[in-house]
Amino acid sequence: MSEQRTILAVFAHPDDEALGVGATLARYAAEGARVALVCATRGEVGEISDPALATPETLGAVREQELRCSCQALGIGEPLFLGYRDSGMAGTDENRHPAAFVNADFEEVVGKVVRVIRELRPQVMVTFDRSGGYGHPDHVRAHEVATDAFHAAGDPARFLDSLQDGLQPYSPQHLYYTAIPRGFFKNMLTHLKDMGVDAGPMGQIDLDRVGTADEEITVAIESGEYVQNKLRAFACHCTQLSPESVFSRLPEGVRMGFMAREHFVEAGVGATGAIKTDLFSP
Ligand SMILES: [Zn+2]
């Protein structure tokens, strides 16, 4: 009797789950897998796109509801909040707030995720890569926490508190890091150039360094129709929606192609050129 297929995603803020992995999570949930999301913070110091939606005081509570909306749109379980505070962008005063996620005791945070792993027994875990996508301190910390928890959960000598509560050590089989292939940026800029659209700040990115080198990508998930769930999930994050990105000016078909295919690098597995198309396959 095999255990239920389960994915545990570990991210930092409401909306992290939507853009990079939303279609993948929606697809597996629709196919019967249990999909759980750990979110370290409520995104208390994120953008406020419209002052009618939130104030700095209410933003965390508003974004909690936005994440609940997003999880429903993706068809996944209720989010599990770790209860830390958004640490803000690198170099801001928010980094020093005592409740900030980056200032939390590392072992304490890992212990919370280990407990979730031992309870849910996921075969698959998903989190940010080492860069945190674009270097947000909370994204980087989520990566570090998830990676350590992935290894620690199966160790009977670590985090005895959850074992004393009757849980068993458990090792998930696969850990995946989200990745945007470098080629994605090249393709997008080529399309924009062909259309005569000014790419704005996007035009300044270093195409030799941005994202993940295409040859390092080891997993590509085609999500087909579930890209619609991802778009609905994304739309839940009203406070974070910025008007008119250059991405939104791409032709529908091109944009959907980019959105429906999500990429990962599997931790501890070197690139062989073969691309895995199922998170659960060996
Ligand atoms: Zn984030």
Side-chain angles (χ1 to χ4, degrees):
M1 188 71 189
S2 60
E3 292 198 53
Q4 187 188 5
R5 296 201 308 165
T6 300
I7 297 176
L8 175 63
V10 179
F11 290 109
H13 312 114
D15 84 355
D16 293 343
E17 80 295 343
L19 201 53
V21 300
T24 298
L25 299 184
R27 177 187 139 186
Y28 280 101
E31 291 175 355
R34 176 171 57 170
V35 179
L37 170 66
V38 162
C39 190
T41 81
R42 289 179 170 77
E44 290 87 344
V45 301
E47 305 289 324
I48 299 178
S49 62
D50 176 348
L53 296 172
T55 65
E57 289 69 37
T58 64
L59 185 58
V62 171
R63 294 190 71 185
E64 174 175 341
Q65 294 310 318
E66 290 178 346
L67 182 55
R68 292 185 187 285
C69 167
S70 172
C71 288
Q72 282 183 7
L74 296 176
I76 69 174
E78 296 267 308
L80 307 167
F81 289 98
L82 297 184
Y84 299 101
R85 188 177 192 271
D86 186 343
S87 312
M89 296 285 187
T92 60
D93 286 349
E94 308 287 357
N95 298 169
R96 292 195 294 276
H97 193 290
F101 180 40
V102 291
N103 296 328
D105 179 74
F106 187 74
E107 287 291 294
E108 171 195 294
V109 189
V110 174
K112 289 184 181 185
V113 177
V114 163
R115 181 178 285 271
V116 175
I117 294 170
R118 288 172 177 169
E119 283 172 354
L120 299 181
R121 304 170 68 83
Q123 296 87 354
V124 166
M125 285 180 64
V126 178
T127 189
F128 286 113
D129 70 1
R130 196 172 348 108
S131 77
Y134 60 96
H136 192 297
D138 288 333
H139 293 189
V140 174
R141 182 53 54 91
H143 161 86
E144 293 166 349
V145 165
T147 301
D148 195 35
F150 173 84
H151 295 291
D155 185 342
R158 291 189 71 187
F159 301 104
L160 303 179
D161 58 325
S162 50
L163 300 178
Q164 280 154 5
D165 291 342
L167 297 170
Q168 298 296 317
Y170 175 81
S171 298
Q173 291 152 20
H174 305 284
L175 174 61
Y176 298 99
Y177 299 137
T178 56
I180 300 180
R182 208 157 279 167
F184 162 88
F185 295 94
K186 283 185 187 160
N187 280 336
M188 185 170 67
L189 289 173
T190 304
H191 276 289
L192 291 171
K193 198 170 163 214
D194 290 348
M195 291 165 59
V197 172
D198 178 9
M202 194 71 88
Q204 307 304 313
I205 58 178
D206 182 347
L207 287 175
D208 294 323
R209 298 192 51 176
V210 68
T212 303
D214 292 27
E215 59 273 19
E216 290 173 17
I217 304 274
T218 56
V219 186
I221 304 295
E222 294 287 349
S223 303
E225 62 190 284
Y226 299 108
V227 72
Q228 298 301 332
N229 299 69
K230 170 172 166 165
L231 293 174
R232 286 206 300 279
F234 199 58
C236 288
H237 297 287
C238 294
T239 57
Q240 307 305 302
L241 298 176
S242 55
E244 279 297 282
S245 72
V246 289
F247 192 62
S248 70
R249 299 186 61 177
L250 291 170
E252 178 83 0
V254 173
R255 199 149 42 95
M256 288 302 139
F258 285 143
M259 298 272 271
R261 193 175 310 111
E262 294 174 338
H263 299 85
F264 303 87
V265 174
E266 184 166 4
V269 175
T272 60
I275 299 293
K276 227 163 114 161
T277 56
D278 177 6
L279 297 178
F280 288 88
S281 69

